[in-house]
Amino acid sequence: MKRLVFEPEHEQLRETARQFLEKECAPNVEKWESERLVDRESYVAAGKYGLIGFNLPEKFGGGGVDDFRFNAVIVEEFSKFGSATPGLSLQNDIVGPYFVNLANEEQQERWLPGYITGELIGAVAMTEPGAGSDLAGIKTSATRDGDDWILNGSKTFISAGINSDLVVVVARTDPEAGHKGFSLLVVERGMEGFTRGRKLDKMGLHSQDTAELHFENVRVPATNVLGLQGRGFYHLMHNLPSERLSIAISAISGARETWRQTLQYAKDRKAFGQSIGSFQHNRFLLAEMDTELDLGEQYIDRCLQAVVDGDLTAVEAAKAKWWCTELAKKVVDACVQLHGGYGYMNEYKVARDYVDVRIKTIFGGTTEIMKDIIGRDLGL
């Protein structure tokens, strides 16, 4: 089914993304997988291809185009390729909007030029060892000391935790103010007292560095407060729908590519004198997956159009996030089964897809949290 949401300029960026993946990422997959880290140089290369900051101001080197369909194109192509890529979704869809929407002129002049070239890598530090989906349980705190904030606490499961240079840290700046007591502080690489813990040994997404971060009496200048003091929780809520839509897009696109490769395998692989795809059960299974992926893609495209129109709601993004990620998990699992024993071998991409997809129903808000958002909207 033809996708009507994209224009020719979006398809041009899609081709650029494919060229980047083929030239800059494909030769490094095994290296990055074994080292559990993508080279920082790959971010700089992505900047040269124009894949970072196309949605950031032109005067700092960005593209100046606020059109989430460009974000979607990059997410789709990177998801098809696999996880051994620089984390551009994090840079474009999650961190970038904080800087463009909340940073003042002086902050943008300091950070955006290097961010757009890929020389500065961003991260967002929300999750703590004792506070995951419950953001109100965050204990990391900052107290004012003259022109600085003194930051103390720890974060975990932080994407780009090793490579990051600019970390947007969620901290409690007023312990008596409840949801109005959180602020966002940008901690920069090299600040005294800012240390990185272990690079976490994950089940999947091996090339994507995820780490613990520790802050011990880190002196953060007040000029590094992002957005309004005491409005950190609301700033987070504003950005979460686009993050969740991005995850939904990656889930459907990645699962579609896994399905496509499995379809070809089912045509080529023979058993009992015929292709395994010709058996009725397998044929029906592949047909069901194709249909469900089409339906998921159509909802994604409707959400993309809603972003363009400026009316995507948090509830619609939650629906996309939970349903598409659960579908992706189901599809990839079925594809492993269709590969038989070969599906368990890491030399087959379907095996890596299987462990990579599992996190998608968890990060960015679990399936259960998404359903709760939807249920509350129903007045329940």
Side-chain angles (χ1 to χ4, degrees):
M1 185 177 296
K2 183 178 180 180
R3 302 180 68 186
L4 302 177
V5 72
F6 294 116
E7 305 290 345
E9 56 266 31
H10 302 116
E11 299 306 329
Q12 290 172 6
L13 182 64
R14 189 184 302 278
E15 183 57 35
T16 299
R18 289 172 177 168
Q19 291 172 7
F20 170 80
L21 291 166
E22 183 62 30
K23 183 177 180 180
E24 305 292 342
C25 297
N28 294 303
V29 169
E30 298 306 322
K31 174 177 178 288
W32 292 343
E33 285 280 304
S34 62
E35 294 180 356
R36 305 295 175 101
L37 190 69
V38 171
D39 292 339
R40 289 181 60 91
E41 291 75 13
S42 67
Y43 286 85
V44 176
K48 292 178 179 177
Y49 276 78
L51 300 179
I52 301 176
F54 47 83
N55 53 349
L56 299 179
E58 288 183 89
K59 62 182 177 180
F60 300 117
V65 180
D66 184 17
D67 182 345
F68 199 79
R69 290 174 293 181
F70 288 107
N71 301 60
V73 163
I74 292 177
V75 169
E76 287 183 351
E77 293 308 311
F78 276 54
S79 299
K80 292 175 187 176
F81 182 85
S83 63
T85 64
L88 297 196
S89 177
L90 175 64
Q91 303 307 302
N92 291 325
D93 309 344
I94 302 174
V95 182
Y98 283 102
F99 289 147
V100 74
N101 295 326
L102 300 176
N104 58 39
E105 184 73 16
E106 184 275 330
Q107 291 172 333
Q108 290 187 352
E109 289 177 353
R110 266 196 288 151
W111 297 325
L112 289 188
Y115 190 84
I116 291 166
T117 61
E119 295 169 282
L120 295 179
I121 299 170
V124 177
M126 286 188 279
T127 304
E128 296 184 1
S133 298
D134 179 19
L135 295 178
I138 287 174
K139 295 191 179 342
T140 295
S141 63
T143 56
R144 191 65 183 259
D145 182 28
D147 291 332
D148 301 324
W149 288 90
I150 308 301
L151 179 67
N152 284 281
S154 294
K155 301 290 185 178
T156 193
F157 305 146
I158 307 306
S159 299
I162 299 297
N163 272 332
S164 55
D165 304 286
L166 304 170
V167 183
V168 180
V169 179
V170 185
R172 191 180 291 275
T173 51
D174 185 346
E176 306 300 324
H179 285 82
K180 296 181 179 179
F182 295 100
S183 301
L184 306 180
L185 306 179
V186 178
V187 176
E188 301 181 51
R189 178 183 290 274
M191 285 184 170
E192 187 174 352
F194 170 34
T195 58
R196 302 167 202 266
R198 60 197 176 102
K199 181 168 57 177
L200 298 174
D201 185 13
K202 307 187 297 294
M203 178 173 74
L205 299 179
H206 293 154
S207 301
Q208 302 295 318
D209 59 306
T210 306
E212 299 169 331
L213 304 180
H214 305 292
F215 312 97
E216 184 175 357
N217 294 322
V218 180
R219 188 169 286 275
V220 182
T223 53
N224 277 30
V225 173
L226 195 61
L228 298 175
Q229 181 182 327
R231 297 289 295 178
F233 184 83
Y234 302 96
H235 293 328
L236 293 174
M237 294 303 102
H238 178 76
N239 282 338
L240 281 173
S242 60
E243 176 183 350
R244 288 165 178 165
L245 178 56
S246 178
I247 295 171
I249 293 167
S250 72
I252 289 293
S253 182
R256 169 63 76 182
E257 180 62 16
T258 305
W259 173 88
R260 188 193 65 78
Q261 294 184 7
T262 302
L263 176 63
Q264 189 59 52
Y265 180 85
K267 292 177 179 179
D268 296 339
R269 177 70 172 169
K270 298 294 191 296
F272 305 103
Q274 61 188 96
S275 68
I276 63 169
S278 65
F279 292 98
Q280 186 185 65
H281 171 79
N282 296 342
R283 187 167 66 247
F284 280 12
L285 186 59
L286 287 161
E288 290 167 7
M289 289 189 282
D290 185 32
T291 303
E292 290 179 301
L293 288 168
D294 273 351
L295 293 172
E297 193 174 77
Q298 289 301 306
Y299 188 71
I300 289 292
D301 287 357
R302 176 63 191 90
C303 287
L304 281 174
Q305 188 60 54
V307 175
V308 173
D309 296 339
D311 59 8
L312 178 73
T313 69
V315 171
E316 290 164 346
K319 290 177 179 178
K321 202 276 178 181
W322 89 256
W323 197 85
C324 292
T325 57
E326 291 289 348
L327 174 61
K329 188 172 67 173
K330 183 178 75 169
V331 166
V332 175
D333 180 78
C335 288
V336 169
Q337 188 72 19
L338 284 168
H339 276 77
Y342 290 106
Y344 203 68
M345 300 296 111
N346 279 327
E347 64 188 272
Y348 279 77
K349 185 174 177 293
V350 68
R352 296 194 296 271
D353 293 344
Y354 181 76
V355 292
D356 286 349
V357 77
R358 187 59 187 86
I359 189 62
K360 292 187 185 296
T361 62
I362 299 173
F363 65 12
T366 64
T367 292
E368 291 74 22
I369 292 293
M370 297 301 99
K371 291 180 179 179
D372 194 57
I373 290 171
I374 299 163
R376 288 174 183 270
D377 185 65
L378 297 174
L380 301 173

